[in-house]
Every structure is written in C-alpha cells, then in structure tokens.
Amino acid sequence: MTDDARALMPIALEAVAVARELVTTSLPGVVTSKGDRDMATEVDFAVERAVREHLARHTPAIGVLGEEEGTDGRVHNGLQWVLDPVDGTVNFVHGLPLCGVSLALVRDDTAILGVIDLPFLGSRYAAAEGGGATADDEPIKCSTTATLDAALVSMGDYAVGDDAGRLNRDRLAITRLLAARAQRVRMFGSAAIDLVWVAEGRTDACVMLANKPWDTAAGVLIAKEAGALVTDADGTPHTTASGATLAAAPGVLPELVALVGEARSGQP
C-alpha cells in the first residue's frame, strides 16, 4: 500500500461514491439525539460504516476518524482518514439539498487529500496536496474579488448546546459587522459547502468559529488548492488543531481577519 495522496485518490473517490448511493436512496430513518438540537440519522451511521469498510479493505493500515463512531486508534506514518458521513444533517432531515459527504486523508495535522460529494446537487470536489482542485474533474479556482464590500460571505452555523449563548455572542457580532460591510451574508448549514463554494468562486469567503476535523479537513485542502487562503480566526495558518476556520479569496482575507478580530474584541 502506498502513502502517496494522489495514488490513493481513486480509493477516496470510490468511497464517496458508495456514500452518495446511500444518501440519495435512503430516508433519514430514526434520528438519534447527540445533545441540544444536535442529531444523527440512520443514514449517517450507515454511510460511516460503509465507508469504513471500504477504506479498511483498500488501506488496511490507515485508521479512520469518523464523526459518529470516533477513531479506531490506528495511525500509519502519521496518516489517518477523517470522515463526515453527512455534513449538514439537519438540512438532510428537513429535505434540503445542502449537505455532503466529506472525506480527507490527514497527515499529522494537515489534510493531504480531500474529496467532498454533494449528492443532491450532483457535484463532486477533489484535491490532493500540490495538485490543484477540481469540481467534477474540471479545474477550479477561487474568485478574484479584492475587497470585502464586493464579497459574498457565508457564515457557519450558530452554536447549539449548553454553552450556545456565550459562543454565539461572537458569531452574532461578526454577522452584524458583515451585514454592514460585505456585499451579502449567507448561511448554508454545511461546512463542506461553505468551503467548496469558496474554492469554486461561487462565494468569496466563509467564517466558521469552529473547526471539527471531519467538518473542515477536506474542504480546507480543496479551498487552498483552488488558490484561497485559509487561516485560524487570528490569521495564523490553519491546521486541524485550529479553533476556527476562515477561508477567502486572497484579496478579501486581510479585511475578513480584521473584522473578526474587531467583533471578538468587543465581546465580554
């Protein structure tokens, strides 16, 4: 078995193809609560099991970290697959097409391969480190937008759970400043979509004040390989250990980092 990211791309593409079939042919089924307003469906678990089985057959030495079942504890030469079986579960449950399957191969704290499939939109995005990014096998590039006032910016979901009130103070402050300064603000409910649409130039930036590796690892690599800049909230380089995820066209990122800093400095 090779550890080369590009050589493993066919395996990743086959894995998300299996996932797409399950997502598009299955009803959500039983919904399991994971906490305050957080949930997983039968499809989340079925997709994760199917992808784990596929990866175990083809890359048996490399373990998997999945959103629903956690890690199997195996890491090979610093490598681990990272999977979100259905990113945007709430959208999926409500019949909204804005959801996706996100699979990354991570070395230490950085993705070196990423594939995101949007089953109900019929789009598949992929990137390997140093090889550029594609949508449906065609090369993609981020936008050339140069100023925040011309930028379409998406916001990640607001927080839920016991500490949601405190966590959302920053999110609401950022939204308020973006509403005053960006061309428009959107919320899609899927980190995978936030990132690949920045990569494709459909949007110019996204702000997520969270960074679960299964949500962001694949999309961060795809955005970077498409020419976008991706950082933590303070503008430092993004890794799986970052606390937040900002992705933007190069001309927009400095203003975006400054705006996030301004919004957060004004919060208790």
Side-chain angles (χ1 to χ4, degrees):
M1 185 195 73
T2 179
D3 296 344
D4 178 69
R6 295 188 202 187
L8 294 176
M9 180 63 78
I11 294 169
L13 291 171
E14 290 165 4
V16 298
V18 169
R20 176 190 277 207
E21 178 69 16
L22 284 169
V23 172
T24 55
T25 60
S26 308
L27 295 174
V30 175
V31 176
T32 303
S33 174
K34 300 199 296 183
D36 174 41
R37 293 168 288 165
D38 193 12
M39 63 188 69
T41 69
E42 286 185 43
V43 174
D44 289 80
F45 288 104
V47 169
E48 184 157 325
R49 285 194 297 270
V51 172
R52 283 179 181 273
E53 290 169 4
H54 176 86
L55 295 174
R57 284 197 304 273
H58 295 282
T59 58
I62 303 175
V64 180
L65 168 64
E67 179 178 11
E68 306 308 337
E69 297 183 352
T71 179
D72 56 19
R74 293 180 298 121
V75 178
H76 171 74
N77 291 342
L79 294 173
Q80 186 176 50
W81 292 105
V82 177
L83 170 69
D84 192 336
V86 182
D87 182 67
T89 296
V90 173
N91 287 349
F92 176 59
V93 169
H94 284 269
L96 299 178
L98 301 182
C99 59
V101 180
S102 179
L103 177 65
L105 182 64
V106 173
R107 176 177 286 129
D108 300 325
D109 60 3
T110 303
I112 59 172
L113 180 154
V115 179
I116 289 175
D117 190 280
L118 308 182
F120 299 110
L121 300 182
S123 299
R124 183 170 295 160
Y125 300 82
E129 188 176 47
T134 61
D136 301 320
D137 300 320
E138 295 295 326
I140 55 174
K141 290 292 183 184
C142 70
S143 81
T144 57
T145 299
T147 59
L148 186 60
D149 62 1
L152 180 61
V153 183
S154 67
M155 278 291 299
D157 269 348
Y158 294 126
V160 295
D162 294 339
D163 205 22
R166 180 187 65 80
L167 293 172
N168 283 330
R169 284 198 288 270
D170 281 352
R171 288 165 170 81
L172 290 165
I174 291 167
T175 302
R176 185 167 56 251
L177 291 181
L178 283 173
R181 300 180 193 176
Q183 185 182 70
R184 289 290 191 279
V185 183
R186 298 288 185 261
M187 182 178 283
F188 302 123
S190 163
I193 288 177
D194 285 324
L195 288 160
V196 297
W197 282 359
V198 170
E200 198 173 14
R202 293 190 179 208
T203 61
D204 304 295
C206 66
V207 177
M208 291 176 273
L209 294 190
N211 182 45
K212 300 294 187 183
W214 46 82
D215 290 328
T216 60
V220 164
L221 177 65
I222 293 166
K224 288 165 64 176
E225 288 293 327
L229 300 180
V230 188
T231 71
D232 204 336
D234 60 0
T236 55
H238 187 277
T239 72
T240 57
S242 294
T245 307
L246 274 58
V252 175
L253 186 72
E255 285 185 85
L256 189 65
V257 170
L259 181 146
V260 169
E262 178 184 344
R264 297 182 92 177
S265 67
Q267 300 306 306

